[in-house]
Amino acid sequence: FKEEYTFLLYLNPNFTPGYLGGTVYYEHDDLSSIVTSVQNKYGRVALFHCEIKHAARPPHAYTTDARYTFAVKVARDKLDAVQREMMSSIISSDGDDELPEELVELTREADFNADLLEEKFVEMFDEHITSRLEELSDALINAANE
């Protein structure tokens, strides 16, 4: 996921610099060290690498306007995008950013074809959800019968 970027579009036509509501960018994982910021200005676009830590800042207290932005993750190609979506759909117990072996194997099986990989992942995910729902249903029936 080295070539994934975040595209951020600011959508508040009435915001002025005093309204705040911009985005701050941090030095690596040090959330106490702000490197730079982008002010919320209607139509402004911020494009930055996905690994850059960032945070939205709230609008100033004297305004009642909400902060509106449109954010999109942009990948180098569809295979990267599908793998990223697969990663975000699976909760990793160790918090590791590496692709789980199960997904690496799916990628190999799909011969690195993004469309086929997406299809295989949806099948795998559907099977997992169906199995989990059956387990929960059985547990509820057993609990009701006790």
Side-chain angles (χ1 to χ4, degrees):
F1 311 113
K2 300 290 185 210
E3 298 304 318
E4 186 173 281
Y5 294 86
T6 299
F7 171 94
L8 185 62
L9 174 65
Y10 294 92
L11 297 173
N12 291 88
N14 299 325
F15 266 40
T16 63
Y19 276 40
L20 305 177
T23 305
V24 293
Y25 300 87
Y26 300 105
E27 179 75 30
H28 304 293
D29 289 330
D30 181 4
L31 301 185
S32 65
S33 178
I34 295 174
V35 175
T36 192
S37 65
V38 173
Q39 289 187 2
N40 186 337
K41 179 180 178 187
Y42 182 69
R44 178 170 283 163
V45 170
L47 182 66
F48 51 94
H49 198 273
C50 70
E51 293 179 354
I52 295 174
K53 303 288 185 197
H54 61 284
R57 289 296 188 208
H60 196 283
Y62 66 74
T63 181
T64 57
D65 292 338
R67 175 188 187 271
Y68 295 108
T69 59
F70 175 73
V72 177
K73 296 290 186 186
V74 182
R76 178 176 47 126
D77 57 33
K78 186 171 180 178
L79 182 61
D80 284 350
V82 170
Q83 286 179 329
R84 173 60 98 175
E85 184 60 30
M86 289 166 51
M87 284 292 292
S88 67
S89 299
I90 294 176
I91 299 170
S92 178
S93 59
D94 57 9
D96 193 1
D97 283 344
E98 294 295 316
L99 202 60
E101 187 57 39
E102 188 176 22
L103 299 186
V104 171
E105 187 56 36
L106 266 182
T107 303
R108 280 190 205 113
E109 286 177 21
D111 197 27
F112 298 91
N113 176 306
D115 293 326
L116 185 56
L117 178 62
E118 189 173 31
E119 182 182 317
K120 285 180 169 288
F121 178 71
V122 167
E123 288 172 11
M124 183 188 83
F125 195 72
D126 284 347
E127 288 171 11
H128 174 75
I129 294 295
T130 301
S131 172
R132 186 70 183 125
L133 286 173
E134 288 171 358
E135 289 172 13
L136 291 172
S137 177
D138 290 345
L140 286 172
I141 289 169
N142 290 337
N145 290 334
E146 290 179 356

